[in-house]
Amino acid sequence: GNSGGPVFNKEGSVIGVAFQGLDDADGIGYIIPARIVKHFMEGVRRFGKFPGICSLGLELQLLENPSLRKAKKLQEDAGVLVIFVSFSF
């Protein structure tokens, strides 16, 4: 398979690494972006382990549905609705 190989854009630049995440999912692949690979490699080099990736802790819902925007009294060009905020201390 192609898992673990480089992924190129039209210009020939490496934009990520090909990855297959599910054992029983033939034909479904993912790309790990180059910036995530660089972050991983730098973390391992500096700390001896992967430091992880921080998250803003929000869950969002797109406001594509006109009825939802109307119910929330939002303008037609509204983008997202914050539906959950994670508080971790």
Side-chain angles (χ1 to χ4, degrees):
N2 294 328
S3 189
V7 178
F8 299 94
N9 64 11
K10 291 179 184 179
E11 290 77 36
S13 299
V14 175
I15 60 168
V17 177
F19 178 76
Q20 182 175 343
L22 301 173
D23 292 334
D24 57 345
D26 278 345
I28 298 176
Y30 301 94
I31 297 172
I32 302 171
R35 62 186 168 86
I36 301 298
V37 175
K38 288 178 185 178
H39 177 71
F40 172 83
M41 297 299 290
E42 181 64 16
V44 171
R45 184 186 69 76
R46 289 180 63 196
F47 308 111
K49 63 179 183 177
F50 180 50
I53 299 173
C54 65
S55 170
L56 189 53
L58 301 177
E59 287 186 32
L60 307 173
Q61 179 176 347
L62 295 177
L63 290 170
E64 298 172 320
N65 185 312
S67 298
L68 178 59
R69 288 194 308 266
K70 185 177 178 181
K72 298 291 182 183
K73 297 182 175 131
L74 297 169
Q75 297 178 12
E76 191 171 316
D77 62 349
V80 295
L81 176 67
V82 177
I83 58 172
F84 180 78
V85 178
S86 173
F87 291 100
S88 298
F89 298 100

